[in-house]
Amino acid sequence: MSAQNSAGIQTLLDAEREAQKIVQKAREYRTKRVRDAKAEAQKEIEEYRKQKEDEFKKFQTEHSSGNKKAEEDAGKDAENKLAEIKEAGGKAGDKIVQDLLRVVMEVKPEVPDRVTAPPAA
């Protein structure tokens, strides 16, 4: 009976070892699948990021070209206005300076309408 028990125990031990091997293989497989899933997800994230960056760059170039044109137009307008101001200053500059000097040098003090004279004491 002891030989039979020993053979039964040995069979159970063999079955347990086989089960441990199967469980170990399952764990390794699961770990490998998780690692592969992480790698694939990272790859998809990078592809998506690259796609969105390309879309943003395209959007940026499309809309910044309009800004450049507006800047050029504004620059031309500013140059034209500056030329007009310089021309007007060249024509009437001496008269304006003379008028400013006359007004500053010939002071005529006046009491404003809203101020009343102090009462006589």
Side-chain angles (χ1 to χ4, degrees):
M1 185 115 173
S2 148
Q4 190 178 18
N5 283 343
S6 179
I9 291 174
Q10 190 60 36
T11 304
L12 287 174
L13 288 173
D14 289 341
E16 187 177 347
R17 280 190 211 106
E18 191 65 32
Q20 285 177 350
K21 287 180 184 177
I22 292 171
V23 168
Q24 184 63 29
K25 285 182 181 179
R27 284 183 185 147
E28 289 172 1
Y29 179 74
R30 187 187 77 213
T31 304
K32 181 181 180 290
R33 293 280 296 155
V34 167
R35 203 176 307 125
D36 291 346
K38 282 182 182 178
E40 186 157 337
Q42 189 65 32
K43 181 181 174 185
E44 288 179 11
I45 288 170
E46 290 300 320
E47 288 174 1
Y48 183 74
R49 180 178 291 134
K50 185 178 182 315
Q51 175 190 357
K52 288 299 176 184
E53 285 177 358
D54 291 344
E55 288 177 11
F56 176 70
K57 286 178 183 176
K58 180 180 176 186
F59 176 83
Q60 199 173 24
T61 55
E62 287 175 358
H63 290 82
S64 67
S65 63
N67 289 342
K68 287 180 183 176
K69 183 172 180 358
E71 286 176 11
E72 289 173 3
D73 291 345
K76 288 178 184 176
D77 289 344
E79 288 176 16
N80 291 339
K81 292 291 183 186
L82 189 57
E84 288 177 17
I85 291 170
K86 284 183 179 180
E87 184 180 330
K91 288 180 181 176
D94 291 336
K95 183 180 182 312
I96 292 172
V97 170
Q98 292 299 321
D99 288 345
L100 284 173
L101 287 174
R102 184 181 47 79
V103 170
V104 170
M105 298 304 245
E106 297 175 11
V107 179
K108 296 177 185 173
E110 295 177 9
V111 177
D113 293 338
R114 63 179 187 184
V115 176
T116 59

